[in-house]
Amino acid sequence: MTLSAEHVGRLRELLAQPRQRFVIVAHTNPDGDAVGSSLAWAEVLRGMGHEVTCIVPNKYPYFLDWMPGIERIIVFKNDAEGAAARAIGQADAIFCLDFNAVSRLEILRDTIAANTTARRILIDHHLSPDEGFDLSFSYPDASSTCYIVFCLIETLFGVGSISLPMAEVLYVGMMTDTGNFAFSSLTPGLFRAVAALVERGIHIPTIHNNVYNAYTEGRARLFGYAIDRKMQLIENGTVAYMSLMEHEMRRFQFQQGDSEGFVNYALTIKKMKMSAMFLAHRKFIRVSLRSRGDVDVNLFARKYFNGGGHKNAAGGKSFLSMQETIDHYIRSVREFAEEGGLGA
Ligand code: 5GP
Ligand code: MN
């Protein structure tokens, strides 16, 4: 990946100012890439003598608890003392990591919007980023924000500046956003980055185990239930969907992050083109979409579920009931297929 030399130059200037107050924010329902890139970038900025506050709108999943430095991240939703709002109010610059639009911050959005003087720097790999960032490192072809952060660090300071904890958290984002190096955008550059992280001392089996083999018994049983009882196939078995209501999640002691990977599972069926997961929330239904090959769920999410994401992994929201949401999905898939969205 080639970073824009002009943008790197502007970033260098910004970082060269002494003792800046920086805030790093990542998206709602932060995942391995959002958390990993935030933690690594925070360490870079702290290493330069800046004051850094990392903020996420709501809690990250429990299988990321082990990540070095994660305890310093402020969860805005649980921040009774208002430390996040204070840091945002005083920030000289706000780094926006792993999301493309301030609306993706949801409950944190207004607090960020209220600081009209801080410069906003985007570091992200989602399609169609919002305009209005003062400096933008938007690379939709990059497989993760962690990979972009790695490239920034490499360009600014060289890989020798990457500490072991930084290497570990960067690897988490590279691993999770590529489905353990199975999806698209797997470039030689990415594997060179992984090689550099191995040289910094990361132990891949341990990280893999920490992230993927750290679930509860309830989650394992919920998975079996969801696949057997809730997965439905339409469009001649080429499109799937699955839904979980709050009472079903309670039955299996659901914790945030427990449904991670469910939506992908339907795509293990040979002729499957697209899969959806509808997860009930207090105020709305969270929609997760996955697809294979040329089927573009970013487009689908934008058109039918007021969302977005990547070509093969996107999401959105529905404010209808579960049944109405499913009916809307089935109708939308039909229309999408008629317009050629599912290919031949
Ligand atoms: P997930 O299904 O893992 O929650 O999200 C998959 C992808 O879709 C992620 O890249 C995420 O950023 C994006 N995404 C999820 N929900 C939304 C949403 O409500 N709006 C937009 N624009 N993107 C979303
Ligand atoms: Mn990401």
Side-chain angles (χ1 to χ4, degrees):
M1 198 178 68
T2 317
L3 297 169
S4 151
E6 188 227 325
H7 288 191
V8 170
R10 283 170 58 199
L11 180 64
R12 242 187 244 284
E13 272 172 38
L14 196 136
L15 299 183
Q17 297 179 55
R19 279 203 68 78
Q20 294 288 290
R21 281 179 290 202
F22 290 141
V23 162
I24 298 174
V25 290
H27 60 78
T28 303
N29 295 333
D31 56 10
D33 191 31
V35 172
S37 57
S38 295
L39 291 176
W41 192 237
E43 277 318 292
V44 169
L45 302 178
R46 286 187 185 122
M48 301 184 77
H50 302 299
E51 195 181 301
V52 184
T53 309
C54 277
I55 304 167
V56 290
N58 63 337
K59 190 86 168 69
Y60 40 82
Y62 60 90
F63 52 77
L64 300 180
D65 282 348
W66 64 274
M67 289 173 74
I70 201 165
E71 66 290 342
R72 290 181 74 178
I73 294 183
I74 301 177
V75 178
F76 183 71
K77 200 174 173 185
N78 308 337
D79 179 32
E81 288 115 57
R86 268 197 308 281
I88 292 166
Q90 298 170 349
D92 297 308
I94 300 171
F95 288 91
C96 300
L97 266 60
D98 201 35
F99 64 93
N100 55 355
V102 178
S103 63
R104 287 280 287 130
L105 294 175
E106 302 190 7
I107 57 169
L108 185 53
R109 173 194 188 161
D110 292 345
T111 312
I112 292 288
N115 181 339
T116 52
T117 52
R119 274 152 304 167
R120 271 161 231 254
I121 300 107
L122 179 73
I123 306 178
D124 177 53
H125 69 132
H126 290 86
L127 295 156
S128 323
D130 265 2
E131 285 170 18
F133 288 97
D134 297 291
L135 184 55
S136 176
F137 294 91
S138 165
Y139 297 96
D141 289 336
S143 55
S144 62
T145 299
C146 276
Y147 178 48
I148 304 173
V149 168
F150 172 90
C151 294
L152 280 171
I153 299 173
E154 184 184 35
T155 306
L156 290 168
F157 311 104
V159 292
S161 70
I162 299 176
S163 66
L164 179 56
M166 276 160 72
E168 287 173 335
V169 298
L170 285 172
Y171 184 76
V172 169
M174 293 178 189
M175 175 182 80
T176 54
D177 261 31
T178 58
N180 205 12
F181 305 97
F183 303 152
S184 50
S185 311
L186 299 175
T187 58
L190 173 67
F191 290 103
R192 277 193 283 271
V194 170
L197 299 182
V198 173
E199 276 167 354
R200 302 311 298 160
I202 64 163
H203 188 242
I204 290 177
T206 302
I207 298 175
H208 185 278
N209 207 42
N210 283 346
V211 173
Y212 290 120
N213 302 329
Y215 290 117
T216 60
E217 178 187 344
R219 191 269 185 186
R221 295 194 186 283
L222 175 64
F223 182 61
Y225 168 80
I227 297 296
D228 181 37
R229 308 282 296 279
K230 304 302 302 281
M231 186 176 73
Q232 303 289 333
L233 306 189
I234 54 176
E235 297 292 323
N236 205 17
T238 60
V239 174
Y241 67 89
M242 187 189 283
S243 64
L244 285 176
M245 302 287 283
E246 282 181 299
H247 72 269
E248 294 171 306
M249 294 188 256
R250 269 197 302 276
R251 233 172 87 192
F252 295 94
Q253 298 86 43
F254 186 91
Q255 298 178 58
Q256 197 189 318
D258 274 354
S259 60
E260 200 74 27
F262 285 20
V263 65
N264 300 76
Y265 205 76
L267 288 173
T268 63
I269 301 168
K270 191 164 185 182
K271 61 178 177 175
M272 196 59 63
K273 293 178 175 174
M274 174 172 162
S275 165
M277 166 80 168
F278 305 108
L279 202 65
H281 239 254
R282 270 180 295 281
K283 294 189 188 131
F284 53 86
I285 293 169
R286 205 167 269 292
V287 181
S288 273
L289 297 156
R290 298 291 184 274
S291 63
R292 218 200 299 267
D294 283 337
V295 177
D296 189 340
V297 283
N298 170 54
L299 216 73
F300 185 88
R302 279 174 189 272
K303 185 161 177 196
Y304 300 108
F305 286 100
N306 195 27
H310 312 281
K311 186 175 171 193
N312 295 136
K317 277 182 189 170
S318 165
F319 293 92
L320 304 169
S321 71
M322 186 60 87
Q323 194 51 55
E324 288 166 333
T325 301
I326 290 172
D327 292 343
H328 171 66
Y329 176 69
I330 294 171
R331 275 195 310 272
S332 306
V333 166
R334 190 84 284 281
E335 185 178 291
F336 192 60
E338 277 160 12
E339 290 170 357
L342 293 180

